[in-house]
Amino acid sequence: MKHLLYFLLLLTTSTAFTQSDNEFTVPLSNPAKRGKLKVHINYGSITVKGTARKDVLIRYAADQEEPSEKKEARNGLRRISGGAVDLEASENENFVKVSSDSWSKKINIEVEVPNGMDLQLHTYNDGDINVTSVQGDLEINNYNGEIHASNISGSIVASTFNGEIKATFDNITEGAPMSFSTYNGDIDLTFPGTLKASLKLNT
């Protein structure tokens, strides 16, 4: 089952997205199986929290929101957008994608996901990335901002250019390679006391 949403438009599917003011819920095709979330924005912050829910809740806040109007968009979707928000979301076989291509309007996104979910997160300008209580493989990229991850069970590959990286682990995925890199900032990592690993450090 494939679900598509362009900003806040609900398509006619057997399991539709549900929405309220500044948030919408994305159902998973098979909640019993592991899922993956990809969030890619150019301008703003991303926050992801692991919870006991079986779907994905997305909240957004944009600077200087204006009244919206409906417009035709690609792939037969209708786009609802004002002067401030350009947000797209889709779900296909437990793979949820959320993206904004805007470089001029800042949007901050908060997502609640099932605890056991893999993440791929990216933002570029004027925003931090924060992740808490997730069990999975995390790939996190930032450029002008910090990366914070806490209560993580799994593995992390994280990089930023301007900002610190801070991560705390409850458990580590055995054998999974991890890396943490920044150019202008500190790296602060807390691992379980039982960690057995080979480490390479460079500054």
Side-chain angles (χ1 to χ4, degrees), residues 120-147:
Q120 186 177 349
L121 311 176
H122 179 270
T123 187
Y124 188 85
N125 193 34
D126 194 23
D128 299 329
I129 298 179
N130 298 284
V131 182
T132 58
S133 303
V134 172
Q135 303 170 5
D137 297 327
L138 281 58
E139 180 182 338
I140 307 174
N141 293 285
N142 202 344
Y143 190 82
N144 288 309
E146 300 178 347
I147 294 173

Side-chain angles (χ1 to χ4, degrees), residues 178 195-200:
M178 293 192 284
L195 175 69
K196 296 180 180 179
S198 299
L199 305 178
K200 292 183 179 180

Side-chain angles (χ1 to χ4, degrees), residues 3-6 9-13 15-17 76-78:
H3 309 285
L4 290 173
L5 169 91
Y6 204 89
L9 177 70
L10 304 187
L11 300 182
T12 304
T13 61
T15 307
F17 292 6
L77 302 178
R78 284 196 306 171

Side-chain angles (χ1 to χ4, degrees), residues 15 29 84-85 102 104 141-142 163:
T15 307
S29 298
V85 176
S102 176
S104 60
N141 293 285
N142 202 344

